Amino acid sequence: GIAISLRSEDDRELSNKVTNAPVTLATDIADPVKRLQKIHSAATRAKASAHGGGKGTMEFVQNLPPLFLTVLAESVGAEQAAHLIGSNIVISTMRGDSKPRYMAGARIDSMYPVSVIAAGIAVNLTCISDGNSLDIGLTVNPDTIRDPWSLMKDVEEELAALKKLSGKRYRKRARR
């Protein structure tokens, strides 16, 4: 599933306003361009539905009392929780600021997100872009994904193939 922000452009409230929606990863399509087009089309439809008032599982889950949510997740098990949620992978993107960032006087060149793994979720892939780079954080459930580096290698290869097709230079900046 993908995370979809429900925040309006002028909303400055300090809170989460997010939903989720299942979107195909089109892994059945070998051609990377056609695969990306299918994913884009599905994500565009999901976002339009969410912004048009369609409700996702996340709104339901966010309104549950925390204790009830914990008991529910623990009682149904990971596979059933993934079925309730509608996916076992979460992918989200955040647009960062294109202006240089600094901490204690040092320029921040990369920012790798670390996300949470909820019941039923095997992979959480979060991307932060700043206009010049794309930093990817991959968080996995170690009981489900035994070799996260292999999965990250696949992500890097797919990005390199898409970058090559776009005609732009791809520079890998992996941090382990």
Side-chain angles (χ1 to χ4, degrees):
I2 62 168
I4 301 171
S5 174
L6 298 175
R7 188 176 303 281
S8 65
E9 288 292 324
D10 60 340
D11 185 349
R12 301 291 181 238
E13 187 177 323
L14 188 60
S15 67
N16 284 332
K17 291 187 179 171
V18 65
T19 188
N20 72 330
V23 171
T24 182
L25 292 178
T27 56
D28 58 322
I29 300 173
D31 181 88
V33 173
K34 289 180 182 174
R35 184 171 44 252
L36 185 59
Q37 288 170 338
K38 179 142 185 182
I39 295 167
H40 181 265
S41 177
T44 300
R45 283 192 309 275
K47 289 177 185 179
S49 175
H51 288 280
K55 298 294 182 195
T57 308
M58 195 62 81
E59 284 97 350
F60 172 72
V61 171
Q62 286 176 343
N63 289 318
L64 290 174
L67 180 59
F68 181 75
L69 181 58
T70 301
V71 170
L72 177 65
E74 289 176 357
S75 66
V76 300
E79 189 172 314
Q80 290 82 10
H83 185 67
L84 282 171
I85 295 167
S87 65
N88 65 354
I89 180 171
V90 173
I91 301 173
S92 61
T93 59
M94 294 180 286
R95 184 176 48 234
D97 194 349
S98 60
K99 293 181 275 185
R101 297 164 294 203
Y102 295 87
M103 179 178 281
R107 184 177 173 152
I108 300 171
D109 291 327
S110 301
M111 188 176 346
Y112 296 96
V114 177
S115 297
V116 296
I117 294 292
I121 301 298
V123 177
N124 187 317
L125 189 130
T126 304
C127 308
I128 298 178
S129 66
D130 69 5
N132 296 317
S133 67
L134 177 70
D135 297 330
I136 300 173
L138 180 69
T139 308
V140 301
N141 178 334
D143 295 331
T144 308
I145 306 296
R146 301 278 185 208
D147 185 8
W149 294 113
S150 174
L151 180 58
M152 195 64 213
K153 181 178 177 261
D154 292 341
V155 170
E156 290 172 345
E157 287 173 2
E158 185 74 5
L159 286 172
L162 290 168
K163 197 78 158 183
K164 184 177 179 182
L165 288 169
S166 75
K168 295 190 178 182
R169 199 178 96 232
Y170 173 70
R171 184 174 57 100
K172 180 179 162 186
R173 294 185 324 188
R175 303 271 197 264
R176 294 183 189 224

